[in-house]
């Protein structure tokens, strides 16, 4: 992964060029294009071998450098070089120098912003900032990590296990969803947390199980309880909303 | 309302605000002129400084807000469930620096300055509400212009844009000035090396 770090150092072709220039203590205003182009291409080769995505921008710069090199080789027109300013504008390196100087300032500005940022990351606003967001945000998702299928799966498992048990007679029970909800809520309030299986433990009739299941769903919908599954296929835990937040 | 009470009220107002509260707003609520409010605020801020409290009042984004003391930050980090955002990426912050100093500016102009595509940096910065669209440039294609937001000021603890660290000779590089700029730059190089 070394190359990743190396690439991160240079934020683009100008950054790399500036680095090469500063390393060799070259006068920006008088860049030895042949030398720089050579060094630049050398570096580019390394990048090219490693990460194709970032190469595009660097290639444009390589082309620019070679264009400048070509222009420098061409004989200068006579009309030019009458005044110093004209000479400067005639110099194909002029534009590049200008860009590099601008880029140096951007780097300076970037450094100032990084300093300000790191200072600011040391202090936390009373509210409204990231800190507040992170700590208070849990608008407790009542069915964290759970889908309806998980609940149905759990319900199916209970039906299967319950009906393999031996029992004598099934007393007719007429329990409403509402009643069952209150019972479940009371159970959770007493125990603190209750597992899905526990809620169904004593129920013997199919209608009773359905009622109970509906009661659990209704409690979730009303956000009176929250359900949580620690791991895949582990028993689903039911608890009161604030209990969940405390235990995390 | 006497001044002691007013001071307490100002403290309460800053405490209760989720955003930096402006001097003007405080003055209106407390019904005291802005000059006096500013003095009371100065007192209050000095109090927190001198008492070596874990919190302080800071003037930011043209308002006042409670912040924790920097020395407490290692402990606050322990309190956090998820590690705090470690800051912007080098590419994003370089793009942001250009927007901050050259705003309003179009994407293509930023790309010319950085020499790389800035599409994703712009998206990140807009997403974090550090920059926003500021109309369109009257140029071919009418490109979108970007500027920094109030959140930008808060993020960097600045009051106004003119508090940005000064970068010498930056703005307005005309042909006449350029030579001068270049020369200072060269001199500076000489000194560094």
């Amino acid at each position: 992964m070394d190359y990743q770090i190396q690439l991160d150092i240079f934020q683009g072709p100008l950054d790399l060029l500036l680095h090469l220039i500063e390393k060799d203590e070259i006068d920006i205003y008088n860049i030895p294009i042949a030398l720089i182009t050579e060094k630049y291409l050398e570096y580019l080769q390394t990048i090219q071998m490693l990460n194709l995505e970032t190469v595009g921008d660097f290639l444009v710069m390589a082309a620019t450098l070679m264009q400048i090199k070509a222009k420098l080789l061409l004989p200068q027109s006579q009309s030019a070089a009458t005044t110093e300013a004209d000479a400067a504008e005639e110099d194909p390196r002029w534009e590049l120098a200008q860009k590099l100087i601008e880029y140096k300032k951007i780097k300076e500005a970037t450094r100032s912003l990084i300093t300000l940022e790191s200072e600011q990351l040391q202090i936390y606003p009373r509210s409204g900032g990231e800190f507040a967001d992170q700590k208070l945000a849990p608008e407790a998702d009542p069915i964290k990590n759970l889908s309806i299928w998980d609940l149905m799966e759990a319900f199916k498992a209970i039906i299967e296990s319950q009906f393999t048990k031996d029992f004598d007679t099934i007393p007719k029970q007429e329990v409403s969803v509402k009643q069952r909800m209150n019972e479940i809520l009371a159970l959770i309030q007493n125990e603190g947390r209750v597992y899905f299986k526990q809620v169904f433990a004593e129920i013997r009739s199919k209608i009773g199980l359905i009622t109970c299941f509906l009661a659990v769903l209704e409690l979730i919908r009303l956000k009176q309880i929250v359900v949580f599954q620690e791991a895949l296929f582990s028993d689903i835990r039911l608890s009161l909303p604030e209990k969940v937040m405390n235990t995390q | 309302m006497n001044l002691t009470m007013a001071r307490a009220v100002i403290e309460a107002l800053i405490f209760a605000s989720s955003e930096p509260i402006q001097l003007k707003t405080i003055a209106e609520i407390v019904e005291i002129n802005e000059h006096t409010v500013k003095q009371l605020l100065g007192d209050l801020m000095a109090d927190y400084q001198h008492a070596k409290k874990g919190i302080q009042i800071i003037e930011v984004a043209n308002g006042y807000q409670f912040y924790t003391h920097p020395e407490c930050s290692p402990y606050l980090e322990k309190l956090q469930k998820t590690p705090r955002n470690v800051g912007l990426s080098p590419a994003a912050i370089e793009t942001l620096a250009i927007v901050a100093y050259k705003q309003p500016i179009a994407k293509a102009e930023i790309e010319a300055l950085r020499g790389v595509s800035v599409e994703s940096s712009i998206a990140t910065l807009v997403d974090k509400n550090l920059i926003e669209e500021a109309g369109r440039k009257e140029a071919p294609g009418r490109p979108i212009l970007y500027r920094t937001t109030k959140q930008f000021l808060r993020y960097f603890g600045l009051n106004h844009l003119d508090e940005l660290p000064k970068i010498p000779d930056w703005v307005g590089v005309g042909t006449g000035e350029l030579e001068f700029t270049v020369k200072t730059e060269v001199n500076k190089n000489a000194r560094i090396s």
Side-chain angles (χ1 to χ4, degrees):
Chain A
M1 292 300 278
D2 291 4
Y3 62 90
Q4 280 285 2
I5 297 159
Q6 232 186 341
L7 278 182
D8 276 349
I9 297 170
F10 300 111
Q11 291 308 310
L14 284 167
D15 203 6
L16 170 58
L17 203 56
L18 199 61
H19 168 78
L20 295 174
I21 285 168
E22 284 178 346
K23 201 179 75 182
D24 287 0
E25 297 180 12
I26 289 167
D27 180 357
I28 289 187
Y29 202 32
N30 190 19
I31 304 168
I33 289 292
L35 177 74
I36 285 296
T37 308
E38 196 183 308
K39 290 198 171 190
Y40 187 90
L41 289 175
E42 213 172 273
Y43 188 86
L44 198 60
Q45 238 168 357
T46 325
I47 307 179
Q48 225 160 350
M49 284 192 301
L50 301 167
N51 191 338
L52 279 168
E53 267 176 53
T54 52
V55 174
D57 296 321
F58 287 85
L59 279 174
V60 174
M61 176 58 76
T64 310
L65 284 173
M66 285 190 272
Q67 191 193 12
I68 294 171
K69 205 168 130 185
K71 272 190 189 166
L72 282 171
L73 289 173
L74 291 172
Q76 302 246 334
S77 65
Q78 277 307 94
S79 60
T82 41
T83 67
E84 217 177 293
D86 275 350
E89 272 181 42
E90 206 57 34
D91 192 334
R93 298 172 300 175
W94 178 259
E95 205 188 311
L96 186 65
Q98 195 180 330
K99 269 193 171 179
L100 281 168
I101 285 156
E102 274 291 279
Y103 189 72
K104 260 186 89 120
K105 286 177 185 163
I106 289 163
K107 281 193 81 169
E108 215 175 300
T110 305
R111 271 195 294 273
S112 328
L113 285 189
I114 289 170
T115 311
L116 285 178
E117 182 189 46
S118 62
E119 278 169 20
Q120 222 48 33
L121 285 173
Q122 298 292 307
I123 61 173
Y124 297 78
R126 192 196 81 80
S127 58
E130 297 162 54
F131 194 74
D133 289 349
Q134 285 184 8
K135 271 324 249 191
L136 305 173
E139 218 291 294
D141 184 357
I143 42 173
K144 203 172 276 175
N145 305 328
L146 277 182
S147 75
I148 188 75
W149 306 111
D150 294 310
L151 280 173
M152 283 174 65
E153 203 62 46
F155 185 59
K156 201 174 137 227
I158 282 159
I159 290 186
E160 279 165 5
S161 67
Q162 229 77 311
F163 283 92
T164 54
K165 283 179 189 167
D166 283 326
F167 36 75
D168 317 326
T169 48
I170 307 163
K172 197 178 175 191
Q173 278 184 315
E174 298 252 296
V175 185
S176 72
V177 174
K178 183 87 203 134
Q179 259 175 294
R180 185 53 80 197
M181 278 166 66
N182 289 334
E183 281 174 31
I184 295 168
L185 217 48
L187 186 66
I188 297 172
Q189 265 154 4
N190 280 338
E191 310 259 315
R193 67 172 69 160
V194 169
Y195 286 93
F196 199 78
K197 273 186 193 140
Q198 270 173 275
V199 178
F200 295 88
E202 301 304 315
I203 301 167
R204 294 286 174 270
S205 70
K206 204 172 205 172
I207 186 74
L209 290 173
I210 293 167
T211 311
C212 192
F213 187 60
L214 286 176
V216 171
L217 291 179
E218 187 68 1
L219 283 169
I220 295 169
R221 190 181 70 82
L222 297 172
K223 295 193 178 178
Q224 292 190 345
I225 62 167
V226 292
V227 290
F228 183 77
Q229 190 178 33
E230 264 148 28
L232 198 59
F233 306 124
S234 74
D235 202 1
I236 294 163
R237 200 173 80 199
L238 316 178
S239 53
L240 299 175
E242 63 272 31
K243 279 276 178 344
V244 162
M245 280 162 87
N246 287 343
T247 50
Q248 277 176 16
Chain B
M1 192 187 309
N2 68 37
L3 288 182
T4 316
M5 184 61 195
R7 224 179 73 139
V9 172
I10 293 169
E11 191 178 16
L13 287 173
I14 300 171
F15 179 80
S17 305
S18 57
E19 299 267 310
I21 185 167
Q22 288 189 12
L23 187 67
K24 200 174 130 240
T25 315
I26 300 175
E28 273 167 19
I29 296 172
V30 189
E31 291 173 17
I32 295 179
N33 67 62
E34 285 186 27
H35 179 74
T36 315
V37 171
K38 186 133 195 173
Q39 275 184 331
L40 291 170
L41 270 165
D43 274 9
L44 204 54
M45 284 158 87
D47 271 8
Y48 276 95
Q49 286 295 327
H50 293 148
K52 299 243 173 272
K53 297 275 188 188
I55 50 173
Q56 54 180 342
I57 297 171
I58 284 185
E59 199 180 349
V60 66
N62 198 22
Y64 296 83
Q65 192 166 16
F66 271 108
Y67 271 87
T68 60
H69 197 277
E71 283 175 24
C72 301
S73 82
Y75 303 95
L76 286 164
E77 273 160 31
K78 286 195 200 170
L79 175 68
Q80 278 179 306
K81 245 187 292 173
T82 44
R84 201 178 193 200
N85 195 338
V86 283
L88 298 165
S89 72
I93 208 156
E94 199 175 279
T95 304
L96 186 57
I98 296 171
V99 177
Y101 283 88
K102 300 258 177 182
Q103 57 188 310
I105 187 165
K107 196 184 86 182
E109 294 170 299
I110 305 171
E111 288 179 338
L113 286 166
R114 280 195 62 205
V116 292
S117 142
V118 295
E119 191 82 53
S120 68
S121 301
I122 294 263
T124 310
L125 295 170
V126 170
D127 198 47
K128 287 184 181 283
N129 192 22
L130 293 168
I131 63 169
E132 62 188 5
E133 290 184 15
R136 282 170 183 275
K137 191 176 177 155
E138 289 308 328
R142 296 186 29 87
I144 297 167
L145 290 166
Y146 293 95
R147 63 165 172 236
T148 57
T149 60
K150 199 173 168 183
Q151 173 63 20
F152 166 82
L153 293 176
R154 287 175 66 176
Y155 187 79
F156 290 98
L158 300 166
N159 243 327
H160 303 283
L161 281 175
D162 52 28
E163 283 182 9
L164 278 171
K166 295 279 173 292
I167 309 299
D169 304 323
W170 198 342
V171 214
V173 183
T175 5
E177 270 172 63
L178 184 62
E179 219 170 342
F180 169 75
T181 318
V182 170
K183 273 175 189 155
T184 32
E185 205 61 43
V186 171
N187 287 343
K188 207 195 269 168
N189 276 355
R191 238 180 296 133
I192 295 165
S193 52

